[in-house]
Short mmCIF file of all heavy atoms in Angstrom, two decimals:
data_model
loop_
_atom_site.label_atom_id
_atom_site.label_comp_id
_atom_site.label_asym_id
_atom_site.label_seq_id
_atom_site.Cartn_x
_atom_site.Cartn_y
_atom_site.Cartn_z
N ASN D 231 -9.09 -19.89 -14.76
CA ASN D 231 -8.32 -21.12 -14.47
C ASN D 231 -6.83 -21.08 -14.72
O ASN D 231 -6.15 -22.01 -14.32
CB ASN D 231 -8.93 -22.32 -15.24
CG ASN D 231 -10.41 -22.46 -14.96
OD1 ASN D 231 -10.82 -22.32 -13.82
ND2 ASN D 231 -11.21 -22.72 -16.01
N ASN D 232 -6.31 -20.07 -15.40
CA ASN D 232 -4.88 -20.07 -15.76
C ASN D 232 -4.14 -19.03 -14.93
O ASN D 232 -4.22 -17.84 -15.18
CB ASN D 232 -4.76 -19.73 -17.24
CG ASN D 232 -3.32 -19.80 -17.73
OD1 ASN D 232 -2.39 -19.84 -16.92
ND2 ASN D 232 -3.14 -19.86 -19.04
N PRO D 233 -3.42 -19.48 -13.89
CA PRO D 233 -2.77 -18.50 -13.01
C PRO D 233 -1.53 -17.84 -13.58
O PRO D 233 -0.96 -16.92 -12.96
CB PRO D 233 -2.36 -19.38 -11.79
CG PRO D 233 -2.21 -20.74 -12.32
CD PRO D 233 -3.20 -20.87 -13.46
N TYR D 234 -1.11 -18.30 -14.77
CA TYR D 234 0.11 -17.76 -15.38
C TYR D 234 -0.19 -16.68 -16.44
O TYR D 234 0.69 -15.93 -16.83
CB TYR D 234 0.93 -18.87 -16.02
CG TYR D 234 0.95 -20.13 -15.21
CD1 TYR D 234 0.35 -21.30 -15.64
CD2 TYR D 234 1.56 -20.15 -13.95
CE1 TYR D 234 0.33 -22.45 -14.87
CE2 TYR D 234 1.55 -21.29 -13.16
CZ TYR D 234 0.94 -22.43 -13.62
OH TYR D 234 0.92 -23.56 -12.86
N HIS D 235 -1.41 -16.67 -16.92
CA HIS D 235 -1.76 -15.76 -17.98
C HIS D 235 -2.19 -14.43 -17.38
O HIS D 235 -3.27 -14.29 -16.85
CB HIS D 235 -2.90 -16.38 -18.85
CG HIS D 235 -3.28 -15.53 -20.01
ND1 HIS D 235 -4.46 -15.70 -20.69
CD2 HIS D 235 -2.63 -14.49 -20.62
CE1 HIS D 235 -4.53 -14.82 -21.68
NE2 HIS D 235 -3.46 -14.09 -21.65
N ARG D 236 -1.30 -13.44 -17.48
CA ARG D 236 -1.54 -12.14 -16.82
C ARG D 236 -1.24 -11.06 -17.87
O ARG D 236 -0.12 -10.55 -17.95
CB ARG D 236 -0.59 -11.99 -15.65
CG ARG D 236 -0.80 -13.05 -14.55
CD ARG D 236 0.52 -13.52 -14.02
NE ARG D 236 0.31 -14.48 -12.93
CZ ARG D 236 0.49 -14.15 -11.64
NH1 ARG D 236 0.87 -12.94 -11.30
NH2 ARG D 236 0.26 -15.05 -10.72
N PRO D 237 -2.23 -10.71 -18.66
CA PRO D 237 -1.98 -9.81 -19.78
C PRO D 237 -1.35 -8.47 -19.34
O PRO D 237 -1.82 -7.82 -18.43
CB PRO D 237 -3.37 -9.58 -20.37
CG PRO D 237 -4.14 -10.79 -19.98
CD PRO D 237 -3.63 -11.16 -18.62
N LEU D 238 -0.26 -8.15 -20.02
CA LEU D 238 0.30 -6.81 -19.94
C LEU D 238 0.08 -6.19 -21.31
O LEU D 238 -0.38 -6.86 -22.21
CB LEU D 238 1.82 -6.90 -19.61
CG LEU D 238 2.12 -7.55 -18.24
CD1 LEU D 238 3.60 -7.82 -18.10
CD2 LEU D 238 1.61 -6.71 -17.09
N ASN D 239 0.35 -4.99 -21.44
CA ASN D 239 0.07 -4.31 -22.70
C ASN D 239 1.32 -3.60 -23.16
O ASN D 239 1.60 -2.46 -22.71
CB ASN D 239 -1.09 -3.34 -22.52
CG ASN D 239 -1.57 -2.74 -23.79
OD1 ASN D 239 -0.78 -2.47 -24.69
ND2 ASN D 239 -2.88 -2.53 -23.90
N PRO D 240 2.15 -4.25 -24.00
CA PRO D 240 3.46 -3.66 -24.37
C PRO D 240 3.34 -2.24 -24.94
O PRO D 240 4.23 -1.40 -24.69
CB PRO D 240 3.98 -4.63 -25.44
CG PRO D 240 3.24 -5.90 -25.25
CD PRO D 240 1.91 -5.53 -24.69
N GLU D 241 2.27 -1.97 -25.71
CA GLU D 241 2.14 -0.64 -26.29
C GLU D 241 1.97 0.41 -25.20
O GLU D 241 2.56 1.49 -25.25
CB GLU D 241 0.93 -0.61 -27.24
CG GLU D 241 1.15 -1.35 -28.56
CD GLU D 241 1.13 -2.86 -28.38
OE1 GLU D 241 0.42 -3.33 -27.46
OE2 GLU D 241 1.82 -3.57 -29.13
N ARG D 242 1.17 0.11 -24.21
CA ARG D 242 0.98 1.06 -23.11
C ARG D 242 2.23 1.13 -22.21
O ARG D 242 2.60 2.18 -21.73
CB ARG D 242 -0.26 0.70 -22.30
CG ARG D 242 -1.55 0.96 -23.11
CD ARG D 242 -2.78 0.54 -22.32
NE ARG D 242 -2.89 1.29 -21.10
CZ ARG D 242 -3.39 0.84 -19.96
NH1 ARG D 242 -3.79 -0.41 -19.87
NH2 ARG D 242 -3.47 1.59 -18.89
N VAL D 243 2.87 -0.01 -22.02
CA VAL D 243 4.09 -0.02 -21.19
C VAL D 243 5.14 0.85 -21.86
O VAL D 243 5.89 1.57 -21.19
CB VAL D 243 4.60 -1.48 -21.00
CG1 VAL D 243 5.98 -1.48 -20.36
CG2 VAL D 243 3.61 -2.26 -20.13
N ALA D 244 5.20 0.82 -23.20
CA ALA D 244 6.19 1.62 -23.94
C ALA D 244 5.98 3.11 -23.71
O ALA D 244 6.92 3.90 -23.80
CB ALA D 244 6.12 1.29 -25.42
N GLU D 245 4.75 3.49 -23.42
CA GLU D 245 4.45 4.91 -23.23
C GLU D 245 4.71 5.40 -21.80
O GLU D 245 4.60 6.58 -21.50
CB GLU D 245 2.95 5.16 -23.55
CG GLU D 245 2.57 4.90 -24.99
CD GLU D 245 3.29 5.83 -25.95
OE1 GLU D 245 3.32 7.04 -25.67
OE2 GLU D 245 3.84 5.32 -26.94
N LEU D 246 5.04 4.45 -20.92
CA LEU D 246 5.16 4.81 -19.50
C LEU D 246 6.43 5.65 -19.29
O LEU D 246 7.51 5.26 -19.65
CB LEU D 246 5.25 3.51 -18.68
CG LEU D 246 4.61 3.52 -17.29
CD1 LEU D 246 4.48 2.09 -16.77
CD2 LEU D 246 5.40 4.35 -16.32
N ASP D 247 6.24 6.81 -18.69
CA ASP D 247 7.37 7.71 -18.41
C ASP D 247 7.96 7.34 -17.06
O ASP D 247 7.50 7.80 -16.00
CB ASP D 247 6.85 9.15 -18.39
CG ASP D 247 7.97 10.16 -18.13
OD1 ASP D 247 9.12 9.69 -17.94
OD2 ASP D 247 7.71 11.36 -18.10
N TRP D 248 9.04 6.58 -17.12
CA TRP D 248 9.67 6.08 -15.87
C TRP D 248 10.45 7.19 -15.15
O TRP D 248 10.86 7.01 -14.02
CB TRP D 248 10.62 4.92 -16.20
CG TRP D 248 9.95 3.70 -16.69
CD1 TRP D 248 9.88 3.27 -17.99
CD2 TRP D 248 9.23 2.72 -15.93
NE1 TRP D 248 9.17 2.09 -18.08
CE2 TRP D 248 8.76 1.71 -16.82
CE3 TRP D 248 8.95 2.56 -14.56
CZ2 TRP D 248 8.03 0.59 -16.39
CZ3 TRP D 248 8.22 1.48 -14.13
CH2 TRP D 248 7.76 0.51 -15.04
N SER D 249 10.67 8.30 -15.86
CA SER D 249 11.47 9.38 -15.22
C SER D 249 10.66 10.16 -14.20
O SER D 249 11.21 10.98 -13.48
CB SER D 249 12.01 10.32 -16.29
OG SER D 249 10.96 11.10 -16.86
N ARG D 250 9.36 9.94 -14.15
CA ARG D 250 8.52 10.62 -13.15
C ARG D 250 7.97 9.59 -12.18
O ARG D 250 6.93 8.99 -12.42
CB ARG D 250 7.36 11.34 -13.84
CG ARG D 250 7.78 12.53 -14.68
CD ARG D 250 6.58 13.33 -15.16
NE ARG D 250 5.71 12.55 -16.00
CZ ARG D 250 4.40 12.42 -15.84
NH1 ARG D 250 3.81 12.99 -14.83
NH2 ARG D 250 3.68 11.70 -16.67
N PRO D 251 8.68 9.33 -11.08
CA PRO D 251 8.23 8.31 -10.14
C PRO D 251 6.87 8.64 -9.58
O PRO D 251 6.43 9.79 -9.58
CB PRO D 251 9.28 8.34 -9.04
CG PRO D 251 10.46 9.03 -9.64
CD PRO D 251 9.93 9.98 -10.67
N LEU D 252 6.19 7.61 -9.09
CA LEU D 252 4.88 7.80 -8.49
C LEU D 252 5.00 8.60 -7.17
O LEU D 252 6.06 8.59 -6.56
CB LEU D 252 4.22 6.44 -8.19
CG LEU D 252 4.02 5.51 -9.39
CD1 LEU D 252 3.39 4.20 -8.92
CD2 LEU D 252 3.13 6.18 -10.43
N ASP D 253 3.94 9.23 -6.80
CA ASP D 253 3.85 9.90 -5.51
C ASP D 253 2.43 9.69 -4.97
O ASP D 253 1.66 8.91 -5.53
CB ASP D 253 4.23 11.37 -5.62
CG ASP D 253 3.39 12.12 -6.64
OD1 ASP D 253 2.30 11.63 -6.97
OD2 ASP D 253 3.83 13.16 -7.14
N GLU D 254 2.11 10.39 -3.91
CA GLU D 254 0.78 10.19 -3.33
C GLU D 254 -0.33 10.55 -4.33
O GLU D 254 -1.36 9.88 -4.38
CB GLU D 254 0.61 11.03 -2.06
CG GLU D 254 1.47 10.55 -0.91
CD GLU D 254 1.29 11.39 0.33
OE1 GLU D 254 0.17 11.79 0.64
OE2 GLU D 254 2.31 11.67 1.00
N GLU D 255 -0.09 11.58 -5.12
CA GLU D 255 -1.08 12.04 -6.09
C GLU D 255 -1.32 11.01 -7.20
O GLU D 255 -2.41 10.90 -7.72
CB GLU D 255 -0.64 13.36 -6.74
CG GLU D 255 -0.56 14.54 -5.78
CD GLU D 255 -1.93 14.90 -5.24
OE1 GLU D 255 -2.88 14.98 -6.07
OE2 GLU D 255 -2.07 15.08 -4.04
N THR D 256 -0.26 10.28 -7.57
CA THR D 256 -0.38 9.36 -8.72
C THR D 256 -0.38 7.90 -8.27
O THR D 256 -0.24 7.00 -9.10
CB THR D 256 0.79 9.59 -9.69
OG1 THR D 256 2.04 9.51 -8.95
CG2 THR D 256 0.69 10.94 -10.36
N PHE D 257 -0.57 7.66 -6.97
CA PHE D 257 -0.56 6.33 -6.44
C PHE D 257 -1.63 5.43 -7.09
O PHE D 257 -1.45 4.22 -7.22
CB PHE D 257 -0.76 6.37 -4.93
CG PHE D 257 -0.70 5.06 -4.23
CD1 PHE D 257 0.52 4.35 -4.16
CD2 PHE D 257 -1.79 4.49 -3.63
CE1 PHE D 257 0.60 3.15 -3.52
CE2 PHE D 257 -1.73 3.25 -3.00
CZ PHE D 257 -0.54 2.59 -2.92
N ALA D 258 -2.75 6.03 -7.47
CA ALA D 258 -3.84 5.26 -8.07
C ALA D 258 -4.04 5.59 -9.56
O ALA D 258 -5.12 5.47 -10.10
CB ALA D 258 -5.14 5.53 -7.30
N SER D 259 -2.94 6.00 -10.20
CA SER D 259 -3.01 6.42 -11.60
C SER D 259 -2.84 5.26 -12.57
O SER D 259 -2.55 4.13 -12.17
CB SER D 259 -1.93 7.47 -11.86
OG SER D 259 -0.66 6.83 -11.72
N ASP D 260 -2.97 5.57 -13.84
CA ASP D 260 -2.73 4.56 -14.88
C ASP D 260 -1.26 4.10 -14.89
O ASP D 260 -0.97 2.92 -15.09
CB ASP D 260 -3.10 5.12 -16.27
CG ASP D 260 -3.30 4.00 -17.27
OD1 ASP D 260 -4.08 3.07 -16.99
OD2 ASP D 260 -2.69 4.06 -18.35
N ARG D 261 -0.37 5.05 -14.63
CA ARG D 261 1.05 4.72 -14.59
C ARG D 261 1.32 3.73 -13.43
O ARG D 261 2.12 2.82 -13.52
CB ARG D 261 1.91 5.96 -14.42
CG ARG D 261 1.81 6.91 -15.63
CD ARG D 261 2.84 7.99 -15.61
NE ARG D 261 2.74 8.81 -14.43
CZ ARG D 261 3.79 9.09 -13.62
NH1 ARG D 261 4.99 8.63 -13.93
NH2 ARG D 261 3.65 9.85 -12.57
N SER D 262 0.61 3.97 -12.33
CA SER D 262 0.71 3.06 -11.19
C SER D 262 0.17 1.68 -11.56
O SER D 262 0.78 0.65 -11.21
CB SER D 262 -0.05 3.63 -10.01
OG SER D 262 -0.07 2.74 -8.93
N LEU D 263 -0.95 1.64 -12.28
CA LEU D 263 -1.53 0.36 -12.67
C LEU D 263 -0.54 -0.46 -13.51
O LEU D 263 -0.34 -1.64 -13.25
CB LEU D 263 -2.80 0.62 -13.47
CG LEU D 263 -3.55 -0.61 -13.99
CD1 LEU D 263 -4.18 -1.38 -12.82
CD2 LEU D 263 -4.65 -0.23 -14.98
N LEU D 264 0.06 0.19 -14.50
CA LEU D 264 1.00 -0.51 -15.40
C LEU D 264 2.24 -0.99 -14.62
O LEU D 264 2.65 -2.14 -14.76
CB LEU D 264 1.40 0.40 -16.54
CG LEU D 264 0.32 0.77 -17.55
CD1 LEU D 264 0.77 1.90 -18.46
CD2 LEU D 264 -0.06 -0.45 -18.39
N ALA D 265 2.80 -0.10 -13.83
CA ALA D 265 4.04 -0.45 -13.11
C ALA D 265 3.78 -1.54 -12.10
O ALA D 265 4.58 -2.48 -11.92
CB ALA D 265 4.61 0.79 -12.45
N ASN D 266 2.65 -1.45 -11.40
CA ASN D 266 2.37 -2.43 -10.37
C ASN D 266 1.96 -3.80 -10.95
O ASN D 266 2.25 -4.82 -10.33
CB ASN D 266 1.33 -1.90 -9.39
CG ASN D 266 1.97 -1.04 -8.33
OD1 ASN D 266 2.78 -1.49 -7.53
ND2 ASN D 266 1.63 0.26 -8.32
N ARG D 267 1.35 -3.79 -12.12
CA ARG D 267 1.06 -5.09 -12.78
C ARG D 267 2.40 -5.76 -13.14
O ARG D 267 2.58 -6.97 -12.94
CB ARG D 267 0.24 -4.87 -14.04
CG ARG D 267 -1.27 -4.71 -13.79
CD ARG D 267 -2.00 -4.44 -15.09
NE ARG D 267 -3.44 -4.37 -14.88
CZ ARG D 267 -4.30 -3.96 -15.82
NH1 ARG D 267 -3.87 -3.64 -17.01
NH2 ARG D 267 -5.59 -3.93 -15.57
N LEU D 268 3.30 -4.97 -13.71
CA LEU D 268 4.62 -5.52 -14.06
C LEU D 268 5.32 -6.09 -12.82
O LEU D 268 5.80 -7.23 -12.81
CB LEU D 268 5.52 -4.42 -14.68
CG LEU D 268 5.27 -4.05 -16.15
CD1 LEU D 268 5.81 -2.66 -16.41
CD2 LEU D 268 5.96 -5.06 -17.04
N LEU D 269 5.35 -5.29 -11.78
CA LEU D 269 6.03 -5.69 -10.53
C LEU D 269 5.38 -6.95 -9.95
O LEU D 269 6.06 -7.86 -9.49
CB LEU D 269 5.93 -4.57 -9.49
CG LEU D 269 7.13 -3.64 -9.37
CD1 LEU D 269 6.84 -2.55 -8.34
CD2 LEU D 269 8.42 -4.38 -8.99
N MET D 270 4.07 -6.98 -9.96
CA MET D 270 3.35 -8.14 -9.41
C MET D 270 3.76 -9.43 -10.12
O MET D 270 3.98 -10.46 -9.50
CB MET D 270 1.85 -7.90 -9.51
CG MET D 270 0.98 -9.02 -9.03
SD MET D 270 -0.75 -8.54 -9.24
CE MET D 270 -1.53 -10.13 -9.15
N ASN D 271 3.89 -9.35 -11.44
CA ASN D 271 4.26 -10.55 -12.18
C ASN D 271 5.69 -10.96 -11.88
O ASN D 271 6.02 -12.15 -11.81
CB ASN D 271 4.10 -10.30 -13.69
CG ASN D 271 2.63 -10.34 -14.07
OD1 ASN D 271 1.79 -10.77 -13.30
ND2 ASN D 271 2.30 -9.84 -15.26
N VAL D 272 6.59 -9.97 -11.70
CA VAL D 272 7.96 -10.29 -11.34
C VAL D 272 7.98 -11.00 -9.98
O VAL D 272 8.58 -12.04 -9.80
CB VAL D 272 8.82 -9.01 -11.28
CG1 VAL D 272 10.21 -9.34 -10.73
CG2 VAL D 272 8.91 -8.35 -12.65
N TYR D 273 7.27 -10.43 -9.02
CA TYR D 273 7.28 -10.99 -7.66
C TYR D 273 6.65 -12.40 -7.65
O TYR D 273 7.17 -13.30 -7.03
CB TYR D 273 6.46 -10.09 -6.71
CG TYR D 273 7.10 -8.76 -6.37
CD1 TYR D 273 6.33 -7.60 -6.38
CD2 TYR D 273 8.45 -8.66 -6.03
CE1 TYR D 273 6.89 -6.38 -6.06
CE2 TYR D 273 9.00 -7.44 -5.71
CZ TYR D 273 8.22 -6.29 -5.72
OH TYR D 273 8.77 -5.08 -5.41
N GLU D 274 5.50 -12.50 -8.30
CA GLU D 274 4.76 -13.78 -8.16
C GLU D 274 5.38 -14.92 -8.96
O GLU D 274 5.00 -16.08 -8.75
CB GLU D 274 3.28 -13.57 -8.53
CG GLU D 274 2.58 -12.72 -7.46
CD GLU D 274 1.08 -12.87 -7.45
OE1 GLU D 274 0.52 -13.39 -8.43
OE2 GLU D 274 0.47 -12.43 -6.45
N SER D 275 6.33 -14.62 -9.84
CA SER D 275 7.01 -15.72 -10.51
C SER D 275 7.98 -16.42 -9.56
O SER D 275 8.60 -17.43 -9.90
CB SER D 275 7.75 -15.25 -11.78
OG SER D 275 8.77 -14.34 -11.44
N ASP D 276 8.08 -15.91 -8.35
CA ASP D 276 8.86 -16.59 -7.28
C ASP D 276 8.00 -17.48 -6.41
O ASP D 276 8.48 -18.11 -5.49
CB ASP D 276 9.55 -15.56 -6.38
CG ASP D 276 10.95 -15.25 -6.87
OD1 ASP D 276 11.38 -15.87 -7.86
OD2 ASP D 276 11.60 -14.37 -6.27
N ALA D 277 6.68 -17.46 -6.64
CA ALA D 277 5.75 -18.27 -5.84
C ALA D 277 5.10 -19.33 -6.72
O ALA D 277 4.91 -19.08 -7.93
CB ALA D 277 4.69 -17.39 -5.19
N LEU D 278 4.80 -20.43 -6.14
CA LEU D 278 4.24 -21.54 -6.96
C LEU D 278 2.72 -21.42 -7.05
O LEU D 278 2.02 -21.37 -6.04
CB LEU D 278 4.60 -22.90 -6.34
CG LEU D 278 4.01 -24.08 -7.13
CD1 LEU D 278 4.59 -24.15 -8.53
CD2 LEU D 278 4.26 -25.39 -6.37
#
Side-chain angles (χ1 to χ4, degrees):
Chain D
N231 305 319
N232 185 344
Y234 321 113
H235 183 196
R236 298 139 177 257
L238 297 171
N239 188 323
E241 288 72 30
R242 290 177 62 214
V243 170
E245 297 297 314
L246 215 166
D247 180 0
W248 294 102
S249 70
R250 292 188 298 128
L252 301 179
D253 55 21
E254 291 181 40
E255 294 295 314
T256 53
F257 183 68
S259 65
D260 198 52
R261 295 191 302 129
S262 175
L263 180 70
L264 292 168
N266 276 296
R267 280 177 176 171
L268 281 159
L269 263 177
M270 178 179 162
N271 286 346
V272 174
Y273 291 135
E274 290 201 345
S275 63
D276 267 357
L278 179 63

